[in-house]
Amino acid sequence: LPHLFEFMDLGWLPSGLRTTLREILECTCLRPFRDYYEWVAGETLTAARDGGFTTVVELGAGTAQITRMMANDPRSVGVNLV
């Protein structure tokens, strides 16, 4: 089974690194990287389908942008998005 964890919640992660990582991830929402979340959504749905998973849980989702993109993708039919 896949192992899931929230990297940003790890206690040993220094706050400066956490801030830098968050800024890098937020950058992916701006041009020219805007399609990063779309790519993640597509790869996640492909992995769910290929693995026979029926539920995808987006942890630490903030505004759940990836889940919303998956919900609008026809490949999400039959997949429970949480």
Side-chain angles (χ1 to χ4, degrees), residues 44-73:
T44 301
L45 286 173
T46 297
R49 287 288 197 200
D50 292 351
F53 299 105
T54 57
T55 301
V56 173
V57 179
E58 184 179 11
L59 301 175
T63 58
Q65 294 180 34
I66 296 171
T67 299
R68 286 185 301 197
M69 288 180 183
M70 287 190 289
N72 290 324
D73 190 311

Side-chain angles (χ1 to χ4, degrees), residues 13-66:
L13 187 67
S15 63
L17 180 56
R18 181 179 291 113
T19 301
T20 301
L21 290 171
R22 183 163 289 134
E23 288 178 9
I24 290 169
L25 290 171
E26 288 176 3
C27 173
T28 64
C29 295
L30 305 172
R31 292 181 197 269
F33 308 109
R34 188 170 283 173
D35 64 346
Y36 175 73
Y37 281 173
E38 292 173 18
W39 176 82
V40 170
E43 289 295 310
T44 301
L45 286 173
T46 297
R49 287 288 197 200
D50 292 351
F53 299 105
T54 57
T55 301
V56 173
V57 179
E58 184 179 11
L59 301 175
T63 58
Q65 294 180 34
I66 296 171

Side-chain angles (χ1 to χ4, degrees), residues 68-82:
R68 286 185 301 197
M69 288 180 183
M70 287 190 289
N72 290 324
D73 190 311
R75 295 174 293 172
S76 69
V77 172
V79 177
N80 182 30
L81 302 173
V82 180

